[in-house]
Amino acid sequence: MGKGTDKLYITHSEWASEDAYSASAGSGVNKSKGPNGGSFKRLPFNFCAVSLQPFEHPVCTADGTIFDITNILPWLKNHGTNPVTGLPLRSSELIKLNFAKNDEGEMVDPVTYKVFTDNTHIVALKRSGNAFAWDTVERLNVKAKMWRDLVSDEEFGRGDIITLQDPQNVAARDLSSFKYLKDGVSTLTEEQERDRNDPMKNVNLDAIGSSAKVLRAKEAVKKARSERSDPNHNVAVAAGNRALTQVVGANGLKPNNAMHSGRTVPYNAAQHTTGKAAASFTSTGLTPHTSGERALLTDEEYMLKPRRVKIKGYARIQTNLGDLNVELQTEYAPKAVWNFVQLAKKGYYKDVTFHRNIRNFMIQGGDPTGSGKGGTSIWGKNFNDEFDGPLTHDARGTLSMANKGKNTNSSQFFILYRPTPHLNNKHTIFGHLLPPSLPTLSALENAPTDPETSRPISPPGIVIKDIIVFVDPFEEFQKQKREGEEREKEKEELRKRGGAEDERITWTGKRVRGNGKVEEGREDGAEVGKYLKTGLEISASGDADEITGEWEEEISEEPIKKKAKAGGFGNFESW
């Protein structure tokens, strides 16, 4: 039963190898040998075939061999051949590859977002260079007969599909079959050769104890001397430092210290997170996120928070019966004010009629259709009510939003003729008329209307010619914010320069000018001892007030010491 024996069992060594009869020989030891006698090693798909290191700028040949452009170009300049196959190769035949990556930097399929591994069948399209998983191309292109790039929408043919990695073809990326490795040709540059031949690069300094300090010191001295002897290096370093200083100063940035992990919270950071951590935890189709980063609000979302923009807006509603000047309450109804201002700037209310006018109640408009059933907000959908504030329907001339129920505000609004407390917390108040416009409001109230429909009789009717915005509170808010940021930048620059010229004053009152000149004091005499100097000048000029008589110095008597009370322990002076 055994190999060449009459034993009725098979030994361990016979199981372990076909030819070797030793327990130390591994299973299939001879099968793992490559053509050059070495063990079989497969190059990972994300490695350059020349440098045998992960690539950063991948290119490939028509047969699917991947190189890094920074490594293959010097090889082609010196040899002009494919280092793997030895066949002639020109730089114009190289195809630039485009790999999609996820948030973790892993290469993925741009359609299914599956991460590429050493067992993924990867292909690339010759015309665009986009890399896909073969399953995606086969299912969406080949079987569907839809010969267009799934990313760039370019047309391609079956012959344009290049196989970069086929897990079934084991010998495709076998290192033992690379020609330049068989021939022993070096692919290192001159600098890499110098580093390789440098004995300091081949010493494990962490394993030689205290001697490593001496070697590191010698290496640092050698490097410093070489840099000082190279004038171009010094010029380049100085220019780089100046450029970095200008960029940092222009952007108001501070150097990032790796020891400080805390990051400044942006001004527009929301109170909630992005939700990526929770979503990736419950879904395997999303890229894992382990940090709860706060979501960032847009400028519009940031400004539309109640009580954030406290600047009031002003606008004029021009009608055929007169003008109505309104003051907009941005602090308590930012969404309603934003909607009204943006629609007015857009010309939405131009030539729109007031379709409802009830004497001793209100006048309503803002519907371009004139039916009272139309109109949309600036967002194209209804927005919520805003009741968080002290505003109430308690005065004539109150400007409020019309709606069809809860949270159904659009473009229609109404102006009250009298207080209506029953509308509180039902309609959003966002402004009121200024006192000079009340006579025009009376003219609107007295305009003739249809008693059955309460619609102004047309012609002439009541028409909004246009709404002019004089003060946009949101633009003013952004303007003030930009000015504040610029002032902060100026202060930061002054702080970096050591302060402004007028701020550089010593504690003795001496001013230090920008050119280094030191002045004894400021022009207004506001320094230490200014009152003494002023008194001396007045005495010298003889302009002091006249005093009749002479002053006699009074001899101050020495205060009498209090006698110590008898009794007690005393102060122990007699000891």
Side-chain angles (χ1 to χ4, degrees):
M1 185 174 181
K3 292 184 178 181
T5 65
D6 57 353
K7 294 183 296 184
L8 299 179
Y9 58 90
I10 299 176
T11 63
H12 173 268
S13 60
E14 292 173 346
W15 276 113
S17 176
E18 293 181 355
D19 301 320
Y21 293 89
S22 172
S24 62
S27 178
V29 62
N30 289 334
K31 290 185 178 180
S32 63
K33 294 291 184 180
N36 57 356
S39 299
F40 171 78
K41 291 184 180 180
R42 185 180 180 183
L43 184 68
F45 76 95
N46 60 335
F47 275 52
C48 172
V50 176
S51 64
L52 306 182
Q53 298 294 326
F55 55 68
E56 296 182 359
H57 308 285
V59 293
C60 75
T61 60
D63 59 354
T65 306
I66 304 178
F67 304 101
D68 194 305
I69 189 67
T70 58
N71 297 322
I72 189 61
L73 289 181
W75 174 276
L76 294 179
K77 184 178 179 181
N78 297 330
H79 302 85
T81 60
N82 188 328
V84 175
T85 62
L87 299 177
L89 180 66
R90 293 178 297 178
S91 59
S92 59
E93 299 176 3
L94 298 176
I95 302 169
K96 181 182 178 182
L97 296 178
N98 301 317
F99 283 93
K101 294 185 179 181
N102 57 15
D103 295 340
E104 303 298 331
E106 299 172 326
M107 298 181 187
V108 297
D109 182 274
V111 178
T112 62
Y113 289 95
K114 291 184 178 179
V115 179
F116 289 157
T117 64
D118 291 335
N119 298 319
T120 306
H121 191 169
I122 306 173
V123 297
L125 302 184
K126 185 175 182 180
R127 298 190 179 183
S128 62
N130 296 325
F132 299 91
W134 167 247
D135 295 339
T136 302
V137 175
E138 183 183 24
R139 184 171 2 113
L140 301 179
N141 292 116
V142 178
K143 291 184 178 180
K145 296 182 180 181
M146 197 276 294
W147 301 101
R148 301 190 73 89
D149 194 312
L150 298 175
V151 175
S152 61
D153 200 33
E154 298 181 19
E155 292 186 1
F156 68 94
R158 185 182 291 271
D160 295 328
I161 301 177
I162 303 173
T163 300
L164 302 180
Q165 176 180 260
D166 186 0
Q168 303 298 329
N169 187 5
V170 180
R173 299 177 65 83
D174 184 10
L175 289 175
S176 60
S177 63
F178 288 7
K179 188 176 186 305
Y180 77 97
L181 292 178
K182 293 180 181 179
D183 299 340
V185 181
S186 176
T187 60
L188 301 178
T189 61
E190 295 180 0
E191 183 179 358
Q192 292 173 340
E193 287 287 353
R194 287 196 301 269
D195 293 340
R196 187 176 184 179
N197 297 327
D198 189 358
M200 288 296 300
K201 301 293 183 180
N202 301 322
V203 177
N204 186 5
L205 298 179
D206 296 330
I208 59 177
S210 59
S211 302
K213 297 181 180 179
V214 179
L215 297 178
R216 287 195 180 99
K218 289 184 177 180
E219 182 67 18
V221 172
K222 180 180 178 182
K223 183 178 180 180
R225 288 176 178 174
S226 62
E227 290 179 354
R228 284 197 299 267
S229 62
D230 187 5
N232 296 329
H233 180 271
N234 298 332
V235 174
V237 170
N241 292 337
R242 288 195 299 270
L244 180 60
T245 303
Q246 293 175 358
V247 171
V248 171
N251 293 289
L253 301 176
K254 295 181 179 180
N256 186 17
N257 191 352
M259 298 299 294
H260 299 282
S261 60
R263 291 183 293 180
T264 304
V265 179
Y267 75 93
N268 58 342
Q271 297 298 325
H272 57 275
T273 63
T274 58
K276 292 182 178 180
S280 62
F281 180 75
T282 57
S283 174
T284 58
L286 298 177
T287 303
H289 288 266
T290 58
S291 62
E293 298 178 355
R294 295 175 64 176
L296 298 181
L297 303 176
T298 62
D299 289 341
E300 179 180 337
E301 293 172 341
Y302 176 75
M303 292 188 296
L304 295 187
K305 295 293 182 181
R307 292 183 170 85
R308 178 156 290 165
V309 180
K310 299 183 179 181
I311 303 172
K312 295 182 178 180
Y314 294 92
R316 174 178 295 169
I317 304 175
Q318 296 178 340
T319 69
N320 56 340
L321 299 181
D323 296 338
L324 300 172
N325 297 325
V326 297
E327 183 181 70
L328 305 176
Q329 302 291 337
T330 317
E331 183 176 0
Y332 305 111
K335 293 182 180 178
V337 174
W338 174 275
N339 179 67
F340 181 80
V341 169
Q342 298 303 321
L343 290 177
K345 287 185 172 182
K346 186 180 176 181
Y348 187 84
Y349 294 119
K350 199 169 185 179
D351 298 329
V352 174
T353 60
F354 284 98
H355 59 273
R356 191 180 180 199
N357 187 15
I358 303 176
R359 184 173 298 179
N360 201 29
F361 180 32
M362 61 86 192
I363 182 171
Q364 181 177 342
D367 179 12
T369 64
S371 62
K373 300 180 181 180
T376 57
S377 68
I378 191 63
W379 300 284
K381 60 181 181 179
N382 297 334
F383 61 94
N384 296 341
D385 298 322
E386 297 172 293
F387 300 143
D388 187 13
L391 303 178
T392 57
H393 298 83
D394 59 351
R396 177 181 174 88
T398 300
L399 182 62
S400 187
M401 292 296 300
N403 57 44
K404 295 177 287 186
K406 183 179 180 181
N407 298 329
T408 58
N409 300 290
S410 57
S411 64
Q412 297 189 35
F413 59 89
F414 62 88
I415 305 173
L416 291 179
Y417 291 142
R418 68 176 181 88
T420 53
H422 64 281
L423 298 181
N424 292 339
N425 294 331
K426 294 181 180 179
H427 296 270
T428 301
I429 303 171
F430 66 97
H432 64 270
L433 296 187
L434 297 177
S437 301
L438 295 180
T440 303
L441 186 63
S442 299
L444 300 180
E445 184 178 10
N446 296 325
T449 58
D450 186 346
E452 296 181 358
T453 61
S454 299
R455 183 181 295 273
I457 297 176
S458 179
I462 305 176
V463 182
I464 301 176
K465 295 181 178 180
D466 198 4
I467 297 181
I468 302 175
V469 179
F470 294 112
V471 177
D472 186 342
F474 303 100
E475 289 185 355
E476 293 294 325
F477 177 80
Q478 291 180 335
K479 181 180 178 181
Q480 293 180 4
K481 185 175 176 298
R482 287 193 298 269
E483 292 176 352
E485 292 176 352
E486 291 177 358
R487 286 194 296 269
E488 290 297 329
K489 289 182 180 179
E490 293 177 357
K491 291 181 180 179
E492 184 67 19
E493 292 178 358
L494 292 176
R495 186 189 65 79
K496 291 179 180 179
R497 294 198 302 262
E501 182 179 325
D502 294 338
E503 294 176 354
R504 299 184 62 184
I505 300 176
T506 64
W507 67 276
T508 58
K510 296 180 180 180
R511 179 191 295 177
V512 180
R513 291 287 186 181
N515 55 5
K517 183 180 179 181
V518 180
E519 297 181 0
E520 291 297 328
R522 293 185 291 185
E523 296 178 357
D524 54 358
E527 73 274 355
V528 177
K530 65 177 182 178
Y531 299 107
L532 298 177
K533 182 183 290 187
T534 304
L536 292 175
E537 292 177 355
I538 294 175
S539 300
S541 61
D543 295 335
D545 296 340
E546 295 182 1
I547 300 177
T548 305
E550 297 180 356
W551 290 97
E552 295 181 359
E553 292 186 359
E554 297 181 359
I555 302 174
S556 59
E557 298 180 357
E558 184 178 356
I560 301 174
K561 294 183 179 180
K562 294 183 179 181
K563 295 181 179 181
K565 295 181 179 180
F569 293 101
N571 55 6
F572 303 100
E573 290 180 353
S574 60
W575 285 34

